[in-house]
């Protein structure tokens, strides 16, 4: 732990529970790396206290806050301003206190795109199959459409949720080309030969008994397969994809890069990515022996 001096700047994360968050490790490592007199703390904020907690950001002059499950939507009611992405995604994972105003951002989608760039893949012009229609899927879908992918196929266990997400995206991002594909039957197999990037934005993979519906046998070398789950890091989907010769991107990159973007917003400095990756890999290896934990920022 780096020294916390007088007049240290305060940062933190609001969630409930918050014990498993890896964000304090990432941001405190980055503060120490840059020699900044700042500290990042985890705050377990019960749902009934969210309003008070957000107002405390200004009262205590907390410079920046990350927000995680279950508060990403709730905090929005007490912010002064939202970034275009946060508005479209309908959730905030980063708050900055700027000129006494609380500004909300969502860096999840950007973090995902940067993790692909780091792995050498651009998304512009590509056809993407996105599994899921919850909050995480929405963040990725919005950012993928803004980044100029050619076509987005959405699929979800509860198909009506995918249809609702598709309708929202078409209305709000007019150039987006979006279709909903059934998770049941042969539809997914039929589409896979035309798809470049497959992204799991469901929680499947976190629990050993969950079964992924994707037809693994139809994955192959043309596919880049990404999983946003990072506990475990080598999900059954990624293992199967590698077995079929597909390239893969695990969920650690998105975790790191959503944090990196938040850090840039707050400090105008970059994350020391290799150092943070090494620290997180160590922490995850340590914790994997302690049983399942949520995929929480
Ligand atoms: P988050 O905000 O983290 O995305 P969420 O809104 O609860 O969380 O969404 C979880 C996603 O995982 C949903 O797409 C969910 O599918 P449903 O909309 O049908 O619930 C998906 N999911 C969770 N468990 C699943 C399972 N066992 N099989 C398939 N999809 C699953």
């Amino acid at each position: 732990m780096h020294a916390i001096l007088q007049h240290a700047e305060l940062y933190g994360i609001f969630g409930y529970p918050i014990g498993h968050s890896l964000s304090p490790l990432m941001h405190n490592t980055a503060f120490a790396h840059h020699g900044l007199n700042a500290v990042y703390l985890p705050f377990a904020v019960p749902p009934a206290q969210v309003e008070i907690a957000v107002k405390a950001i200004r009262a205590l002059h907390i410079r920046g806050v990350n927000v995680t499950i279950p508060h990403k939507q709730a905090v929005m009611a007490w912010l002064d301003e939202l970034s275009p992405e946060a508005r479209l995604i309908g959730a905030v994972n980063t708050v900055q206190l700027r000129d006494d105003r609380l500004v909300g951002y969502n860096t999840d989608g950007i973090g995902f795109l940067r993790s692909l760039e780091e792995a050498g893949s651009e998304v512009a012009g590509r056809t993407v199959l996105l599994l899921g229609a919850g909050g995480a899927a929405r963040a990725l879908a919005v950012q993928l459409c803004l980044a100029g992918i050619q076509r987005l196929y959405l699929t979800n266990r509860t198909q009506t949720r995918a249809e609702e997400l598709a309708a929202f995206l078409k209305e709000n991002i007019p150039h987006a080309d979006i279709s909903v594909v059934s998770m049941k039957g042969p539809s997914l197999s039929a589409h896979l030969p035309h798809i470049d990037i497959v992204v799991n934005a469901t929680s499947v993979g976190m629990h050993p008994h969950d079964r992924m519906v994707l037809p693994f046998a139809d994955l192959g070398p043309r596919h880049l397969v990404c999983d946003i789950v990072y506990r475990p890091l080598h999900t059954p989907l990624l293992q199967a994809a590698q077995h079929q010769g597909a390239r893969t991107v695990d969920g650690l990159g998105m975790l790191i890069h959503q944090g990196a973007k938040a850090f840039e917003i707050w400090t105008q400095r970059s994350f020391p990515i290799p150092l943070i990756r090494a620290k997180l890999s160590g922490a995850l290896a340590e914790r994997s022996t302690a049983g399942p934990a949520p995929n929480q920022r």
Side-chain angles (χ1 to χ4, degrees):
M1 189 66 188
H2 59 295
I4 301 164
L5 307 172
Q6 239 183 336
H7 309 301
E9 288 183 349
L10 186 55
Y11 295 81
I13 180 163
F14 293 174
Y16 197 75
I18 200 67
H20 292 290
S21 173
L22 293 164
S23 292
L25 176 62
M26 290 199 290
H27 289 279
N28 286 319
T29 298
F31 287 141
H33 172 83
H34 288 292
L36 295 176
N37 182 21
V39 63
Y40 183 108
L41 298 173
F43 295 103
V45 178
Q49 307 286 334
V50 174
E51 178 178 357
I52 296 172
V54 174
K55 290 180 173 171
I57 298 173
R58 185 183 278 116
L60 300 177
H61 209 72
I62 300 174
R63 304 297 291 257
V65 164
N66 282 133
V67 184
T68 188
I69 297 166
H71 301 321
K72 287 184 175 187
Q73 281 98 30
V75 296
M76 295 170 75
W78 298 287
L79 301 179
D80 300 308
E81 205 178 307
L82 294 174
S83 74
E85 281 100 342
R87 194 180 296 279
L88 274 175
I89 293 167
V92 160
N93 80 332
T94 300
V95 178
Q96 181 188 31
L97 180 64
R98 193 169 69 212
D99 303 329
D100 208 38
R101 289 172 64 74
L102 295 173
V103 186
Y105 299 85
N106 192 309
T107 69
D108 286 332
I110 295 265
F112 174 69
L113 291 191
R114 284 192 183 179
S115 75
L116 294 197
E117 279 165 26
E118 192 185 29
S121 291
E122 297 288 336
V123 297
R126 299 302 172 93
T127 298
V128 180
L129 171 67
L130 181 62
L131 302 132
R138 189 175 165 118
L140 269 47
V142 164
Q143 211 74 53
L144 285 164
C145 290
L146 293 177
I149 60 169
Q150 186 177 50
R151 184 149 220 220
L152 180 64
Y153 289 102
L154 289 177
T155 191
N156 193 47
R157 176 177 61 180
T158 311
Q159 189 160 327
T160 48
R161 289 187 83 193
E163 282 159 3
E164 281 161 23
L165 178 57
F168 172 84
L169 292 167
K170 283 179 191 169
E171 196 180 319
N172 289 280
I173 309 177
H175 61 79
D177 182 351
I178 299 161
S179 306
V180 174
V181 184
S182 172
M183 248 193 193
K184 297 192 192 112
S187 305
L188 284 177
S189 283
H191 281 89
L192 274 173
H194 314 293
I195 282 163
D196 304 306
I197 302 174
V198 177
V199 186
N200 175 39
T202 74
S203 50
V204 176
M206 286 172 63
H207 307 289
H209 54 271
D210 286 343
R211 275 190 41 244
M212 172 62 72
V213 292
L214 205 63
F216 291 142
D218 296 315
L219 294 173
R222 73 162 282 127
H223 298 118
L224 176 71
V225 180
C226 316
D227 207 326
I228 69 163
V229 170
Y230 60 83
R231 280 175 172 143
L233 204 50
H234 304 291
T235 59
L237 169 64
L238 296 186
Q239 288 175 32
Q242 279 166 9
H243 185 73
Q244 294 294 123
R247 288 163 299 131
T248 59
V249 174
D250 64 42
L252 199 56
M254 176 175 164
L255 171 69
I256 294 170
H257 287 284
Q258 62 78 32
K261 178 67 188 171
F263 194 80
E264 287 163 25
I265 289 168
W266 295 330
T267 68
Q268 289 79 52
R269 308 216 188 190
S270 310
F271 254 13
I273 302 283
L275 174 63
I276 287 184
R277 186 177 289 279
K279 291 248 182 183
L280 285 191
S281 300
L284 284 170
E286 234 171 65
R287 291 183 197 183
S288 67
T289 50
N295 209 52
Q296 189 185 59
R297 308 294 160 208

